[in-house]
Amino acid sequence: MLKDLLNYTNEELKVKADGHKVDADIETLRTVLDAPLSIPPYQRPYMWEQKQVSQLLNDILSNKNNDDSENYRIGSLITCIDPYLADSSEVKKNIDIVDGQQRITTLLLILHCLSDSYRNELFNNLEYNHSQSYKHLKQNSVFIEGWIQSNIKSEKDEFLNYILDNCELVVVTVYNISEAFQMFDSQNGNGKELEPYNLLKAYHLSAVDGFDNQKKCDISWENAVKSRLPNGQNFDILKQLFSEQLYRSRIWSKGCDANRFTKKEIGEFKGYRTKNGIRYPYQNKTISLLMISDWIENQKDCLTKKGMIDRDGFSDNSNFLKNFMNVNQDIVDGDLFFQYIETYVAMYKRLFIEREETDPIKTFQEFYQKKCHYKGCHRDGDTYLRELFKALVFCFYDKFGISGLQPRYYKILYAFVYRIRILNKSVFYNTVVRAPIESDVRPFSVIAQAQSPDDIERLYVACTVSRDELKQVKNGALDANKRKSPSFVPDIINFFEEEHFAL
């Protein structure tokens, strides 16, 4: 049983961990809740809605009323007790719920609604860091109360005992946190499938020391997920970043096809852990960076005039590490990964969401809105092109800051991308995926190797079209307009003419 795990010594648990042991058992909810379970900070918010709660309650009641049935299997629970995460002087005192926390939390709500006096250690210590969690907890509690009044009435104690003693879980226990995360994306019948990036949150939080630090990283992460556009629309910046500006930019910079970011590709954002010591010479730079960071933190008062230059061109010691972040950097697990993501969430907001009132970002945003948000820009092919352009600008700004955000530079990047639209009647996903690596001059490699913003001029020839090609495309667009079925965007044609990308 789960509760028996804490009878093992740390050394006995390490034997299980080193042997990649996986234990599985079937336990009643009562025995599961008798164990010292905890919901670790890396878990996503509690997001079950009325539909999932109603189905769980109705399934339990239906099974209870079925004369031929005995126990009801309500799902699975993946737990982890990793002895290597405990302090060297003590055995880990809790068993982490890795998968199944949505169902377990809902069952605790149901039990509490059936009996105000019902309490257990997990219920008493239940803590979520997100407003969305409390919203769903409150809404589901109200729904459960109403459901009980309509379906159970005076049989509350009987129903409570049935849930505790007749509802069973398949409990899987692992002893290595990395192996637990490999199971983390398993989706139960009523669960909500995780976005690939949320597996990374779980993985990296396990490398963050201290609950307060974990909580801080967790809140920052979830705030990015629940971002809003200026029009009030919800927008998941992390999904955008991982799918486009980070994952694909890193892969294109390596000269490889950058297809869609899925769970199979999360290894791109898994690095090494400094707390375990370093193994290779290339990792030395991380240790030195952390040492300098600590020194800077203690010397801020002495470094107010001369500091690291930030992407706005100012001396900035307020967050030393962000000035060293690079899209293509080595990934270091834990705090540095979350600072890496926090840096690029802020950068994405500044370039593409927030409205700047000062140049050069203001001028760039005006260009971006006019040239990338034309009529028909939401077609699939045009969306692929827009995201490629954003990824190039993102990497260029990341390297050169506002010095790289001058019109000549981003117009070259725009011409490279929208030349694809000029030369193709239809733009397919694979066309855009391969464009940055099939060009005679690869733009992401040029940016990675550039010593100054002017080096982007190497792309110029790859950005041009012949006047004959442009004339042919222009005539085709005019004919389409006469038929009232526009097949091309005149603004793009005009750009190539006016900005001298037609030779």
Side-chain angles (χ1 to χ4, degrees), residues 340-362:
Y340 171 80
I341 296 303
E342 187 175 322
T343 296
Y344 292 113
V345 166
M347 185 186 299
Y348 185 89
K349 285 182 178 179
R350 183 154 197 217
L351 288 176
F352 301 112
I353 296 180
E354 298 169 350
R355 292 293 166 257
E356 285 287 328
E357 297 300 327
T358 57
D359 284 332
I361 294 181
K362 179 183 178 182

Side-chain angles (χ1 to χ4, degrees), residues 284-468:
N284 288 331
K285 60 186 176 183
T286 300
I287 300 299
S288 62
L289 179 61
L290 292 172
M291 291 172 63
I292 295 171
S293 177
D294 289 341
W295 181 81
I296 289 283
E297 184 66 28
N298 294 326
Q299 301 291 326
K300 276 185 178 179
D301 292 340
C302 302
L303 294 168
T304 55
K305 293 184 179 180
K306 293 183 179 180
M308 300 295 110
I309 188 169
D310 66 14
R311 292 177 179 86
D312 292 328
F314 299 116
S315 295
D316 180 14
N317 290 311
S318 61
N319 186 338
F320 172 80
L321 289 174
K322 76 176 183 181
N323 298 320
F324 279 84
M325 297 297 171
N326 178 273
V327 167
N328 294 310
Q329 71 180 54
D330 297 331
I331 298 297
V332 181
D333 296 349
D335 292 276
L336 282 179
F337 172 77
F338 286 102
Q339 292 196 47
Y340 171 80
I341 296 303
E342 187 175 322
T343 296
Y344 292 113
V345 166
M347 185 186 299
Y348 185 89
K349 285 182 178 179
R350 183 154 197 217
L351 288 176
F352 301 112
I353 296 180
E354 298 169 350
R355 292 293 166 257
E356 285 287 328
E357 297 300 327
T358 57
D359 284 332
I361 294 181
K362 179 183 178 182
T363 303
F364 163 72
Q365 289 177 340
E366 291 170 349
F367 175 88
Y368 169 69
Q369 287 299 322
K370 181 179 180 181
K371 298 299 183 182
C372 296
H373 290 84
Y374 44 78
K375 184 178 181 180
C377 70
H378 297 297
R379 293 173 297 190
D380 287 347
D382 295 86
T383 299
Y384 303 149
L385 293 174
R386 185 169 61 255
E387 292 301 338
L388 173 55
F389 173 62
K390 288 164 64 178
L392 286 167
V393 171
F394 197 81
C395 287
F396 202 64
Y397 177 77
D398 178 45
K399 185 158 190 175
F400 295 109
I402 59 170
S403 297
L405 208 61
Q406 302 303 317
R408 176 60 180 171
Y409 304 140
Y410 56 72
K411 286 178 180 179
I412 288 176
L413 298 176
Y414 180 89
F416 176 88
V417 173
Y418 283 87
R419 179 178 183 272
I420 301 170
R421 168 53 79 197
I422 290 284
L423 299 179
N424 296 274
K425 289 183 178 180
S426 298
V427 177
F428 298 100
Y429 182 76
N430 284 338
T431 305
V432 180
V433 166
R434 297 203 58 79
I437 60 175
E438 289 186 337
S439 171
D440 292 337
V441 184
R442 297 179 176 183
F444 287 95
S445 296
V446 170
I447 294 172
Q449 297 166 14
Q451 299 296 310
S452 76
D454 288 339
D455 290 343
I456 203 67
E457 294 283 353
R458 290 174 52 197
L459 281 177
Y460 178 73
V461 174
C463 300
T464 59
V465 296
S466 71
R467 292 187 182 278
D468 289 341

Side-chain angles (χ1 to χ4, degrees), residues 58-77:
N58 290 330
D59 287 348
I60 294 173
L61 182 60
S62 175
N63 197 81
K64 177 180 180 297
N65 293 336
N66 184 350
D67 295 334
D68 297 330
S69 69
E70 295 182 359
N71 288 353
Y72 175 51
R73 194 76 47 79
I74 56 174
S76 62
L77 183 70

